Every structure is written in structure tokens, then in C-alpha cells.
Amino acid sequence: MTTHRAQLRAAVRDLSDRGLKCSAKWAAEQLVGLAGGPLDDEAGTSDAPMSPAEEIGSREEDDQLLLAKAYFDLNEFKRAAHALRVARGASGRFLRWYSLFLAGQKRQAEEEAEERSGGAGAPGSLLGKPRASNQHLPLLNAELTAARESEGLDGFGHYLHGIVLRELAQPALAREALLRAVSAYPCLWSAWTALSSLSGADEAPLELPDTWVASFFLAHQATEAHDSARAVSLYESLLVQWPRSLHVQSQLALARYNLRDFEEAQQRFEELLAEDPYRLDGVDTYSNILYVREEKRKLSALAHSCVSTDKYRPEACCVVGNYYSLKGAHEKAVLYFRRALKLDANFLSAWTLMGHEYVELKNTAAAVDAYRRAVEIDAKDYRAWYGLGQTYEILAMPFYALFYYRKATALRPYDSRMWCAMAGCYKQLHRRDEAIQCYHRAEKNDDREGIAFTELARLYRENGEDAQAAGYYERMVAQREAHGEAVGKELSEALFFLCTHKKSTGDLDAAQTIGQRLLDLGGPEKDQVKALLRDIQAKERRAAAAGRRYEGRRSAGERREEAEEGGRRTLRSALTCRARMLYPAVPAPLALFAAWSPLVPVPVTGTRLFLELRSSSFQYT
């Protein structure tokens, strides 16, 4: 049974012979990245042998194939196709068809450049949908379909047929052809990536071949679908078996970036560049991280390194563009993003970044065109959808903005920024209930900026629900304090509302504490805060005075009650003594009654009774 290593070695040769350079590079990276020792396939796998079927042809045809390959390597695609016009072998036929396809793509790019050069003076001459197309596609589709129905196609032929069908806007047939390609030749990585780009969330699950390459495809598909948490898990499991694979390491860094774990992503990109300092694949994503973290020095060093490696790579141009954008030189940034697009008109990152720069330059029309080109290239690019929403929001067109924000939210339902953007549109449309729901979704998805707390507090305050508003303001203040943000307009707004709310609920101590903190912050509310504190202090003084009066009244009553009780006890004792002196032979109860009777008709208080008793006692003694 063939090993992974043997399959990859054969794949590198086969792919290189057919001019599939990207797939050959991927196979070579996995060959080098494989863990030490041969790893046999598991029992029951259906990986086909990597070497194609032996081709029957004369020595003359083999010589023609070598000549055509030399033309192909020099980008003379039509000469290569002409040299193989009578080829009958699988390799010769594929190289002829592939040469025709690339010749058509090359001519299409030239026509697009001619269209753009006609309006070179206009600022948006790169923009607008091109009218050029690949004129060889119908011929290729006819020949490939006939070959498939007659003698059949190998994995490479199915791959090329799938690419042609995709360009002809026949996605269902393209998916079927690409599935046949990866089943026949699993190491054809370009077929897997093309299949991923044609697989949407609403499509039926693909019936993938039972091969180890499917694990790479599933991880790649998770990244494309923005299921970044699953992508991280899958790539970390792949890293165990392929510990030295640069592809796996770079994709893991990209997944961390999509999760906005910038620190971890930056560390992985730096480790990757330390191992391969001349690698430019994915370096534009690394520059985005440095841009977000505002690390100018590292971004400058990265730009110099990329330019010295290959200044005419689209990735290098994007890195330089990001550097100028961070410096605030947006015109220069646009210049480098346009240069990247001249090198590769389908370089997605350049279109999106150029749209951002046009927004900064207030050129909304050019920004919309740039974002539209990005979503035409990849409808899963949430950044372009989000950028379109922002642009239409700037243009005060909230219904359009809401449409594009919904597209972005569907792609990134776990991103709080998407929900906050949708809620902002609902607020402009005076649809508070929908806005509150969106902000609650943002709150549940780790709203790091605290936008949801602030906006929810404002909405509840406008609805008259002060208790709910106070709760969200308190959470916002706690979040800002945890992040070390001690000042700010929104913080002052929250503290002022909390001070007023605490005062209205009678919690004067808390209101005074918050008011003193507001005075320390300063700001335009300072005079209002002083007036509020004076009112709180006046309330406290009135409450204290009322408390003292209440306590005074209570003490006099208690003293009066104690005096009366003492009088009663003294009276009882005196009457008992008098009864014993006057009526020694009479039983105690009757004697006590006889001693009490002269005083009973007199309605006196306890104090007066005590005085009269004392005077009467002196009479009888």
C-alpha cells in the first residue's frame, strides 16, 4: 500500500509536468511538513495511485510534449497548444487544453487593461465591471465534454472541465466535475479549493472521497465559511501529523486572525516568517494585524522586507499600501493597492482595502465600485459587504446599508460589530425594538468595544425604563474601568445618568460618590453636576434635621412614660405601707382598698397622684 510520502512525491512530479504550479507547491510543502517516518493509509481508503495511467504514444509525440512544455514555461501558451494539436495521450491533451485556457485568460486580462487605459485620467479607471471574456471557453467546453463522453477524462481533465464550467457560470455542473477530479486524483489541491469556492451554505453536503486530503479540505472549507473556531480545531489536529507544514501553520494563523485573536495570530505569523523569511503567501493578512495594532515600526520593517524580496507581488504591494494608510497617506495607499490589482485583477484583499481607503478619502462612488468588485470575486467576503453597508450609511441611505449589513451578519453571526452596525441602521429608521434585539445579540457575542451596553442604555432611557438603562450604564462603566479607560464622553454621560438615577431612587450616598467622580473628570456637565451635588447635600441636611426632630420627640415621650411608670411603682409601695399602719388586723387586699379609697374619686395623673399621696402620708405620720 502506498504511503502519504510516496503519493506526495509522485504528485509533485505529475503536477509540475502539467504546469499546475500552485498545486505542485502545496504538495511539496505537505511532503516536507509531514512528520518523520512513513505513514501508511488506513485500511479501507480509496486513494487512487498518484501516477497517471501509462500513455500510449510514439516517441515523436513525447518529443512534442517536451517542446510544448518548454513553450508553456515561457508563457507562450498558444504555441504550446499548437505544438500539441494532434496529441492523443492524456498528458498531451491536458497540456493543450490548459494552454488554450491560459491563453484566453491572458488575452482577457490584456483587454481589461486596454479598457482601463482608455480612462486612465479618471480616478476610478480601475473600477467598473469589465466587458472582456475568455473567448476559448466554448471550444474547451465542447472538446472536454466530448472527451468525457467518449474515452473519458483523468483527474486533471475533470479539473480543467470544472474550471471551464465555473467560468461559464454553470456551478452545479462545475461541482460535479470537480468532485470527479478529486476522487480520481486526491492530491490535486487546486481542484479542492475550486470546489470549496463553489460550495455555499445552502448547498447539499458534498460526498467527498475517503482520502486524507479531505481533512485539509474540511479545514479550508471552515475557514472560507468563516467558521473560525472549527477551523482552528481542525488545523490544530492536522498540525499533530504535519508539524512542519508551512501551509497548516499559515492557515492556523489566518483562522486566529478571523477570530480577532490578534496577539496569537501575530505570534504565529512571526514564527512562520522566522522559519521562512522570504515567504509572501498570507503576508498581507499579517500586515492587517500590524495595522490594527498600530505597530508602525514592525509594519515598516515588513514592507521593506517584502519589497526587497519581490516588489511586484500583489501581497507586497498591499503591505506597502497598509503602511502608507497607517501613516495617513491615503492617496499613496490607493496607488499601491491599484498596483496590486494591475498585477492580479482578482486579488481580493486589494479590492477591499482600496475600498476602505476611498471611504477615508470621502470618495464614496469609488468605494462602492471597489467593494462590489470584491463581492463579485468572492461573495463570502464579509469585509466587502460590511464596507458597502458603511458607505451607504455615510450616504444617509439606511435601507441600502441595512441590506448589506444583513449580508455581512449572515457570514459572521458571531461578530458583535455586524450586529451593532445593523442596530445602528434600525435606530436611524426609528425601529427601536429591532435595534434593541440586535444590540442584545452583540452583547452575547463578546462586544469588546462596549458599544452594545452604551446603546442599550440610551434606548432604554428613551423608552423611560430607567432601571434597565442604569443597569447597562453600570455594566458599561465596569467594562471601561476593566480596560483602563478612565475618561471619555460616553463615560461622563453614563456617570451623570447614574448620579441622577441614584438621587431619584433615594440612594444619596451613591449619588454623591458618583457626582464627586464626575467633578474629577471635568467636562461640559461640570456645572450641572455641581448643581446636582448641591441639591443632594440640601436633601441630606433636611433629612438629618427631620431625623433629629423625630429623635427628640421620641426621647421626651420615653421620659414621660418612664416617670409615670416610676410613680406607679412608688404609689403601690406607699399604699401598701399605709394599709399596714392603719389597718393591721384587716387582710391585706381589704386594707389596701381602704387605704386607696380616699384618693380614688380624684382624677389625677400619675405624677399628681404621687404628690398627693406623699402629702397625705405626712398627715398620718
Side-chain angles (χ1 to χ4, degrees), residues 60 67 308 346 579-580:
E60 182 179 354
L67 177 62
S308 63
N346 292 323
R580 286 174 180 172

Side-chain angles (χ1 to χ4, degrees), residues 246-373:
L246 299 180
H247 170 78
V248 174
Q249 294 175 34
S250 65
Q251 291 301 305
L252 184 56
L254 176 61
R256 287 290 184 186
Y257 166 73
N258 289 334
L259 282 174
R260 302 181 69 198
D261 186 359
F262 298 133
E263 186 175 355
E264 175 70 17
Q266 179 177 344
Q267 181 181 349
R268 289 194 174 275
F269 272 119
E270 288 172 353
E271 291 173 356
L272 195 63
L273 289 175
E275 185 175 350
D276 187 359
Y278 302 105
R279 178 187 177 91
L280 294 181
D281 295 338
V283 75
D284 54 316
T285 303
Y286 177 42
S287 72
N288 291 341
I289 296 172
L290 297 179
Y291 180 93
V292 170
R293 305 192 73 184
E294 297 184 359
E295 298 194 17
K296 291 184 180 180
R297 185 172 298 179
K298 286 188 177 181
L299 186 53
S300 174
L302 180 66
H304 282 289
S305 174
C306 291
V307 169
S308 63
T309 300
D310 188 352
K311 66 186 295 186
Y312 295 113
R313 277 281 294 271
E315 294 89 344
C317 294
C318 284
V319 172
V320 178
N322 271 337
Y323 170 70
Y324 280 116
S325 178
L326 187 58
K327 287 183 65 178
H330 300 294
E331 293 85 356
K332 278 192 174 182
V334 168
L335 178 66
Y336 276 93
F337 293 137
R338 289 164 65 90
R339 182 178 295 179
L341 292 170
K342 286 181 179 178
L343 296 169
D344 183 359
N346 292 323
F347 194 68
L348 179 64
S349 182
W351 284 112
T352 305
L353 292 173
M354 189 165 70
H356 296 343
E357 295 307 308
Y358 279 129
V359 170
E360 293 291 336
L361 293 170
K362 304 294 188 288
N363 189 347
T364 53
V368 167
D369 283 339
Y371 288 136
R372 287 191 186 281
R373 284 298 300 274

